């Protein structure tokens, strides 16, 4: 695992601890990450992060989320996304000021 995360063994162990704690407490952990697009100036970093998360058990949900910061690929610890729960959580995190705009990859409205 150390070859995917450029940190000490202690830092990697802490990440594993946090991930295990979140999974135990909440069941599913959701991550929004930058999508892998060929024209991105930091494509290598994005690929590195995606590989790191995949190596650590996160799976692609097939969803993308669009918010004020851009478009993000949605990963989860289970590979599934409960869209209504995700939308409720997003609303809570933004104090109800923003609505989650998640869509399935390949949705013609967003392609």
């Amino acid at each position: 695992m150390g070859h995917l995360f450029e940190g000490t063994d202690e830092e990697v162990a802490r990440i594993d601890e946090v991930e295990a704690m979140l999974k135990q407490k909440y069941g599913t952990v959701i991550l929004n990450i930058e999508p892998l697009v060929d024209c991105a100036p930091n494509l290598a970093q994005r690929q590195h992060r995606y590989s790191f998360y995949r190596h650590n058990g996160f799976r692609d949900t097939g969803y993308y989320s669009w918010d004020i910061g851009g478009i993000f690929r949605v990963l989860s610890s289970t590979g599934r996304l409960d869209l209504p729960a995700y939308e409720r959580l997003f609303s809570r995190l933004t104090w109800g000021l923003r609505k989650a705009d998640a869509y399935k990859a390949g949705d013609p409205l967003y392609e």
Side-chain angles (χ1 to χ4, degrees):
M1 185 161 107
H3 69 285
L4 291 174
F5 175 69
E6 296 173 6
T8 66
D9 289 341
E10 186 178 306
E11 289 170 326
V12 171
R14 275 190 250 141
I15 288 171
D16 288 344
E17 278 181 47
V18 170
E19 181 185 346
M21 179 196 68
L22 290 170
K23 284 180 182 176
Q24 182 179 15
K25 184 169 182 167
Y26 299 107
T28 300
V29 178
I30 303 292
L31 294 174
N32 288 353
I33 66 168
E34 295 173 306
L36 303 177
V37 291
D38 292 334
C39 63
N42 65 338
L43 180 59
Q45 289 174 330
R46 292 177 183 207
Q47 290 170 328
H48 185 79
R49 285 186 207 111
Y50 182 72
S51 294
F52 173 79
Y53 292 127
R54 292 280 300 167
H55 179 79
N56 285 283
F58 287 90
R59 300 291 171 251
D60 201 324
T61 63
Y63 280 90
Y64 287 84
S65 178
W66 182 18
D67 71 24
I68 201 161
I71 296 175
F72 297 90
R73 186 179 213 159
V74 182
L75 307 181
S76 82
S77 56
T78 62
R80 293 182 305 278
L81 180 66
D82 178 342
L83 195 52
Y86 179 78
E87 290 171 341
R88 284 190 305 274
L89 177 62
F90 195 92
S91 180
R92 284 183 52 208
L93 290 173
T94 61
W95 297 284
L97 299 174
R98 298 230 355 112
K99 178 183 167 290
D101 192 3
Y103 60 93
K104 196 76 167 166
D107 186 330
L109 289 175
Y110 294 93
E111 295 296 314

